[in-house]
């Protein structure tokens, strides 16, 4: 019984402090800062080994290794993991000099001493203290680093506009796509069939061109199909058919639009948010 209680107690303490946000500390705010220059050495294209991230996994595993072995009453093994944690913690501090103040070697040494002492209460206290140093840095930097280094740069994506026949940035193309859609809606509410046809056809062509961007990043057809699949193609074909008919049924045109715009939202939920954060961090 005692051991089970200990493991749940120590793991909740560790999770709380190694974690990303401790609610009391961030007060509903999330500030994202551009990661320091020296971190870039440990991410593509400079390195494919993800050395910094890999140290994070080593430390996290070692933390848990200590905990598991104390529960097994194997203090020798626990000490080995604690040494591994300390060593990696010190090594990581050297990797990013701009972040040296986040590391507290005194707390790391205390943690090792606590494991050496084989005193459970001291280990809990020391791991809590050390864990806080992890959590502080995560709170300030983890999300920004994940987006900055692990999400592609959408500003590099170019689209050939099928109406103006020029190549442009995705952001600019999105404005043209939206303007076609807004024009379609404006003339729909004014019952101006001719203009509805003109802008509606532009919208269909631009909405189809969006699909060309997918393959610049995705290689698996299922991923592209998951957002811009058959339903999307069919809705666009249907809209085109309606617009090309001799007497355009404006109500039908109105009804088909949500079947297309649902795709805009789905794609934005997945891509737009990180794309915008990344662009902001790159400035
Ligand atoms: C790849 C999936 C994708 C699809 C599908 C898509 N978008 Fe976008 N959209 C983006 C991304 C990514 C951005 C951000 C581009 C940037 O800022 O560099 C964006 C930006 C925009 C913006 C500019 C928003 C802003 O505040 O800057 C508008 C407006 C927009 N999209 C409208 C649409 C509409 C309307 C549709 C559907 C007809 C659509 N998009 C379909 C990915 C998509
Ligand atoms: C100086 C800043 C800093 C300190 C101190 C720090 N970390 Fe991290 N940690 C990061 C950053 C930045 C990331 C995000 C890296 C990424 O996703 O590429 C991260 C990510 C992680 C992750 C998630 C890895 C993943 O695959 O998403 C774990 C687990 C982790 N750290 C454990 C720890 C532990 C345990 C400690 C303390 C012993 C610690 N970290 C101390 C900055 C720090
Ligand atoms: C600039 C690169 C880029 C472009 C362009 C892009 N994506 Fe993505 N997409 C990503 C990244 C990065 C993720 C996150 C998952 C990952 O890392 O693979 C993702 C995730 C997804 C996901 C959910 C996870 C998955 O892999 O199934 C879907 C579905 C998806 N994209 C579809 C699309 C479609 C459809 C388009 C074109 C309309 C598109 N993407 C355009 C980079 C891109």
């Amino acid at each position: 019984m005692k051991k089970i209680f200990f493991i749940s107690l120590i793991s909740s303490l560790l999770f709380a402090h190694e974690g990303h946000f401790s609610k009391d500390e961030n007060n509903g705010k999330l500030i994202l800062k551009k990661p320091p220059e020296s971190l870039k050495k440990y991410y593509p294209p400079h390195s494919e080994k993800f050395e910094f991230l890999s140290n994070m996994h080593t430390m996290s595993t070692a933390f848990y290794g200590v905990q598991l072995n104390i529960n097994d009453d194997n203090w020798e093994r626990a000490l080995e993991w604690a040494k591994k944690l300390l060593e990696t913690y010190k090594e990581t501090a050297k990797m990013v000099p701009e972040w040296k103040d986040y590391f507290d070697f005194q707390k790391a040494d205390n943690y090792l001493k606590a494991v050496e002492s084989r005193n459970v209460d001291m280990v809990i206290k020391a791991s809590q203290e050390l864990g806080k140093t992890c959590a502080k840095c995560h709170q300030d930097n983890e999300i920004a680093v994940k987006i900055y280094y692990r999400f592609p740069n959408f500003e590099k994506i170019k689209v050939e506009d099928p109406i103006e026949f020029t190549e442009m940035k995705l952001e600019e193309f999105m404005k043209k796509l939206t303007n076609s859609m807004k024009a379609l809606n404006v003339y729909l509410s004014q019952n101006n069939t001719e203009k509805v046809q003109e802008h509606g056809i532009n919208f269909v062509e631009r909405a189809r061109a969006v699909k060309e961007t997918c393959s610049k990043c995705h290689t698996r057809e299922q991923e592209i199909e998951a957002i811009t699949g058959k339903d999307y193609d069919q809705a666009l074909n249907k809209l085109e058919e309606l617009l090309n008919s001799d007497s355009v049924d404006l109500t039908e045109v109105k009804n088909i639009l949500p079947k297309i715009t649902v795709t805009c939202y789905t794609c934005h939920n997945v891509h737009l948010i990180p794309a915008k954060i990344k662009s902001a961090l790159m400035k």
Side-chain angles (χ1 to χ4, degrees):
M1 268 318 273
K2 202 170 164 234
K3 278 183 187 170
I4 292 168
F5 172 72
F6 174 62
I7 199 165
S8 64
L9 178 67
I10 197 169
S11 63
S12 63
L13 290 172
L14 284 177
F15 281 134
H17 292 96
E18 195 188 303
H20 311 211
F21 308 107
S22 35
K23 285 195 190 89
D24 46 324
E25 281 169 55
N26 81 331
N27 282 320
K29 270 192 312 234
L30 175 63
I31 296 167
L32 298 173
K33 283 179 292 190
K34 184 182 192 154
E37 229 358 71
S38 58
L39 195 62
K40 99 176 168 208
K41 293 200 284 290
Y42 314 113
Y43 285 92
H46 301 275
S47 165
E48 298 294 330
K49 289 192 200 136
F50 293 88
E51 295 88 340
F52 184 85
L53 178 63
S54 151
N55 277 12
M56 292 297 144
H57 291 153
T58 304
M59 289 193 289
S60 190
T61 305
F63 236 143
Y64 199 51
V66 172
Q67 182 189 324
L68 287 176
N69 279 291
I70 293 177
N71 277 285
D72 294 343
D73 215 14
N74 190 342
W75 287 92
E76 260 167 57
R77 284 282 180 193
L79 187 61
E80 284 170 24
W81 284 113
K83 283 181 180 157
K84 180 86 189 157
L85 176 52
L86 188 77
E87 184 190 302
T88 313
Y89 190 80
K90 291 189 169 166
E91 182 191 300
T92 310
K94 281 194 222 129
M95 291 168 86
V96 189
E98 297 93 327
W99 279 347
K100 71 175 190 322
D101 291 344
Y102 282 111
F103 295 87
D104 189 330
F105 294 162
Q106 187 62 55
K107 287 188 177 145
D109 288 333
N110 288 347
Y111 175 72
L112 186 69
K113 276 188 209 129
V115 178
E116 269 166 352
S117 78
R118 303 193 175 191
N119 177 324
V120 171
D121 291 336
M122 275 176 67
V123 174
I124 292 179
K125 196 166 174 300
S127 64
Q128 224 181 333
E129 288 294 311
L130 182 60
K132 276 187 198 163
T133 73
C134 317
K136 175 72 183 125
C137 186
H138 292 160
Q139 207 172 302
D140 291 353
N141 303 298
E142 188 180 358
I143 304 280
V145 167
K146 282 194 155 61
I147 291 178
Y148 196 80
Y149 286 113
R150 296 167 70 180
F151 199 79
N153 185 358
F154 270 78
E155 289 183 6
K156 284 194 185 148
I157 303 294
K158 298 270 178 10
V159 189
E160 166 93 24
D161 180 40
I163 309 301
E164 294 174 13
F165 300 107
T166 46
E167 208 182 45
M168 58 190 71
K169 278 189 170 183
L170 181 69
E171 193 180 7
E172 203 186 322
F173 175 75
M174 284 289 158
K175 287 200 181 117
K176 295 198 183 286
L177 171 68
T178 317
N179 284 344
S180 293
M181 189 181 70
K182 285 193 261 191
L184 170 61
N185 280 318
V186 167
Y187 293 118
L188 268 174
S189 60
Q190 293 176 204
N191 292 317
N192 183 333
T193 304
E194 209 174 294
K195 293 273 192 189
V196 163
Q197 284 177 304
E198 180 194 336
H199 292 282
I201 291 296
N202 286 354
F203 175 64
V204 170
E205 290 193 18
R206 285 185 163 136
R208 280 185 183 135
V210 169
K211 289 185 76 165
E212 286 164 27
T213 64
C214 317
S215 56
K216 294 185 179 164
C217 299
H218 294 279
T219 48
R220 291 166 61 221
E221 198 53 42
Q222 304 99 289
E223 289 168 358
I224 300 171
E225 288 287 312
I227 296 178
T228 45
K230 268 201 203 82
D231 291 349
Y232 187 64
D233 293 340
Q234 278 168 4
L236 288 172
N237 290 345
K238 176 79 186 157
L239 176 60
E240 186 176 48
E241 206 180 284
L242 289 168
L243 294 165
N244 284 332
S245 71
D246 293 334
S247 64
V248 183
D249 184 337
L250 296 182
T251 313
E252 280 271 316
V253 171
K254 263 183 214 146
N255 290 343
I256 196 86
L257 283 178
K259 297 205 169 107
I260 297 164
T261 50
V262 65
T263 297
C264 320
Y265 291 114
T266 310
C267 200
H268 287 175
N269 282 343
V270 179
H271 302 92
L272 176 134
I273 297 156
K276 289 217 157 223
I277 298 174
K278 175 144 181 167
S279 318
L281 292 174
M282 286 194 316
K283 289 201 175 109

